[in-house]
Amino acid sequence: MKRPIEVEVEDLLRLHAPQVLGALVRRYGHFGPAEDAVQEALLAAAQQWPDAGVPDNPRGWLIKVASRRLTDQLRSDEARRRREETAAQLAPRDAFVAPPPGEGRAPSEDDTLSLLFLCCHPELTPPAQIALTLRAVGGLTTAEIARALLLPEATTAQRISRAKARIKDVPFRPPGPEDRDRRLAAVLQVLYLIFNEGYTATSGAALHRADLAHEAIRLTRAVRRLLPQEGAVTGLLALMLLTEARSAARTGPHGELIPLDEQDRTLWNRDAIAEGTALVEEALSEGPAGAYQLQAAIAALHDEAARAEDTDWPQILALYDVLVSRAPSPMAELGRAVAVAMVEGPEAGLTEVAKLEDRLAGHHRLDAVRAHLLERAGDREGARAAYQRAAQRTLSIPESRYLRLRAARLS
C-alpha cells in the first residue's frame, strides 16, 4: 500500500513529466538524450521527495536536475561538445530555472502539445506512437508500458528506442497550419487506441486494464485544456468517460464478461456519465459533428437508459446513419448493423452484416455480432457455429470464454 505522500508524488511526476521533457527538447533538440535525462530526474524525485518533502517548485526542480543530467550526457560525447557549449553561452543564466509566477518565458502547455505532436509524428507506426506517447507524455516507465501492452520489456524498449531515433531530427514545434488538423487527428487516434486497449484488451487474461484506460483519459483531459474549443477533443473525452463509466459492471466476480444488455446499471458511474453527457452537448455545439462527437452521442443514449429495454434504438440508428456517412469505417457499419437489428429485426441486421464480410473477414467481432443476431432470429445451430468461430479468433481470454459459453448454451 502506497503512502499518501507517495501517491501525491506520483501524481505530480505524471503532471510535470511532459512539461519538463518539452522544456529540454525545445532548448537542446535531442529528444532521446533529453527523455533519458527526464526519466533519471523523475526517478530521483520519486526516491527523494516522499521523505525530504516536495519542493516549492517541483517543475523547476525537475527541469534543473534533468538539465544537469542532459548536460553531463552531452559533454561526454565529443561530437556534441561544441554544440552544447555554444548553446550554454547563448542561454540566459536562468534558462532552466522555473520563472516566478506571471513571468513565464515559454508556456509549458505549448511544450506539452508540441511533445504530443512529436510522439504522434506520421513517420512512426501506430504501435510506436502509442509506446512513445505513454513514455514521453504519460511518464510511464518502459516496464510499465510493457506490462500495459502485454509485451516483453525488451521488445518495448526496442520499439521506443527506434521511435526516438526515427524522429531525432524532427523540429520540436507545433505543426504548421497546413497540416495541423491532420497531426491533431493522429494525436487523438493514438489516445483513442490507448483507451480502447485499456477498456477491452485485445489479448491476455484481463478484459479491462484500468490503468491504461485512465491514462488515456488523463492525457485527453490535458489536450482539452490546451485546445478547449476543439469539438473533436471534447467529443473524444466525452466518449471515453461515457464508455469507462460502465467498467465496474462489465465483468462478474470471476472476471467473466457481462454484455451491455445484461449489466447491473446501478454499478455504472453516474458522475462520469453526467460529465460525459455535458461534454457531448458542448462538443455538438462546437461545429460539425465528427466521428468522436457522434460516437459519444451514441454512448450517451446507452448510458441514459435505466434499463436495456429503455434504450432509444431509433435515435441510435439515426446517429449511426450520420456517422457512417461522415466517417465510414467497417466497425462503425458493424455497430449500425446492430442498431438496424434492434429497430427492424435480426434478419435486417444480418443483411447489413453480410455486406461487411469482405472488409472484416476473419475478425472475431463480425462473427460475434452474426452469432448474436442468428440467435435472436432462432437459428441456434448457425449461432452456435458463429460463436465458436468468434471464440477461436479472439486473443482475449475473457471474450473467448464468454463466446464459448454462449455456444455451449445452444448445444
Side-chain angles (χ1 to χ4, degrees):
M1 177 72 72
K2 293 181 180 179
R3 294 179 291 164
I5 182 63
E6 291 175 328
V7 175
E8 177 188 352
V9 167
E10 185 174 299
D11 290 342
L12 275 173
L13 296 182
R14 288 186 184 276
L15 172 65
H16 292 300
Q19 301 172 9
V20 175
L21 178 56
L24 264 67
V25 175
R26 172 169 45 80
R27 185 64 187 87
Y28 281 103
H30 296 282
F31 183 91
E35 200 270 339
D36 291 338
V38 171
Q39 289 296 320
E40 291 186 29
L42 294 174
L43 179 60
Q47 293 173 339
Q48 297 177 30
W49 291 2
D51 296 323
V54 177
D56 293 336
N57 189 338
R59 182 166 68 93
W61 189 98
L62 289 168
I63 291 176
K64 194 170 184 178
V65 171
S67 66
R68 286 174 179 167
R69 304 290 173 91
L70 180 57
T71 299
D72 291 342
Q73 186 176 354
L74 293 178
R75 282 176 177 160
S76 67
D77 188 338
E78 183 64 28
R80 294 176 180 172
R81 183 188 300 274
R82 188 171 302 167
R83 178 177 177 179
E84 188 276 332
E85 290 175 346
T86 301
Q89 292 172 1
L90 293 175
R93 293 180 63 86
D94 64 343
F96 289 106
V97 178
E103 297 182 17
R105 288 180 296 276
S108 61
E109 291 82 1
D110 289 347
D111 286 341
T112 301
L113 190 58
S114 297
L115 189 60
L116 265 170
F117 279 123
L118 184 62
C119 292
C120 299
H121 194 276
E123 286 289 321
L124 302 177
T125 64
Q129 291 173 337
I130 290 172
L132 192 59
T133 298
L134 289 173
R135 173 67 180 253
V137 187
L140 277 65
T141 66
T142 302
E144 288 172 332
I145 297 169
R147 286 196 299 271
L149 300 180
L150 296 183
L151 292 171
E153 187 170 347
T155 300
T156 304
Q158 186 178 56
R159 181 174 293 178
I160 293 171
S161 178
R162 287 177 176 173
K164 288 192 283 188
R166 187 97 183 196
I167 61 172
K168 67 177 182 178
D169 295 323
V170 175
F172 183 76
R173 60 171 180 263
E178 67 282 354
D179 69 339
R180 177 187 177 279
D181 289 346
R182 179 173 61 89
R183 295 282 297 279
L184 178 60
V187 168
L188 299 184
Q189 177 67 11
V190 166
L191 295 177
Y192 192 33
L193 288 171
I194 294 172
F195 175 78
N196 281 337
E197 183 61 29
Y199 188 72
T200 302
T202 54
S203 62
L207 178 72
H208 182 237
R209 300 179 204 159
D211 54 345
L212 208 55
H214 294 168
E215 182 63 20
I217 292 173
R218 186 184 74 83
L219 292 175
T220 306
R221 285 191 188 279
V223 175
R224 184 170 181 268
R225 284 195 296 270
L226 307 177
L227 301 170
Q229 303 303 317
E230 288 283 350
V233 179
T234 304
L236 178 57
L237 178 58
L239 175 58
M240 290 180 177
L241 290 170
L242 291 165
T243 305
E244 180 65 13
R246 311 176 201 135
S247 60
R250 292 179 68 228
T251 54
H254 304 294
E256 65 273 19
L257 185 153
I258 301 176
L260 180 63
D261 60 350
E262 298 177 16
Q263 289 176 14
D264 179 358
R265 301 187 177 211
T266 63
L267 299 177
W268 289 2
N269 186 329
R270 291 296 158 185
D271 290 338
I273 292 173
E275 182 184 2
T277 302
L279 287 172
V280 169
E281 295 174 357
E282 181 180 337
L284 293 175
S285 69
E286 291 175 342
Y292 297 124
Q293 296 97 308
L294 291 167
Q295 290 180 82
I298 291 169
L301 288 172
H302 281 296
D303 288 8
E304 289 170 348
R307 302 174 303 164
E309 53 266 35
D310 297 331
T311 305
D312 189 348
W313 283 107
Q315 182 63 22
I316 289 175
L317 177 56
L319 287 169
Y320 266 119
D321 286 338
V322 179
L323 176 60
V324 298
S325 67
R326 294 186 181 178
S329 73
M331 283 302 172
E333 292 178 46
L334 187 61
R336 180 183 177 278
V338 174
V340 168
M342 298 303 295
V343 175
E344 301 176 12
E347 291 82 2
L350 286 166
T351 299
E352 298 301 317
V353 168
K355 298 176 183 177
L356 297 169
E357 189 65 53
D358 291 340
R359 284 177 289 167
L360 288 177
H363 199 294
H364 77 279
R365 296 205 186 283
L366 181 70
D367 285 313
V369 170
R370 179 185 285 113
H372 174 66
L373 298 185
L374 287 170
E375 183 177 359
R376 289 191 61 216
D379 184 352
R380 293 173 62 87
E381 184 57 33
R384 185 178 66 83
Y387 278 129
Q388 289 176 335
R389 285 196 304 272
Q392 291 169 354
R393 287 169 171 168
T394 182
L395 298 177
S396 167
I397 294 175
E399 283 189 331
S400 179
R401 286 174 178 165
Y402 167 77
L403 293 165
R404 292 183 189 282
L405 179 61
R406 298 291 299 209
R409 288 175 177 173
L410 295 174
S411 298

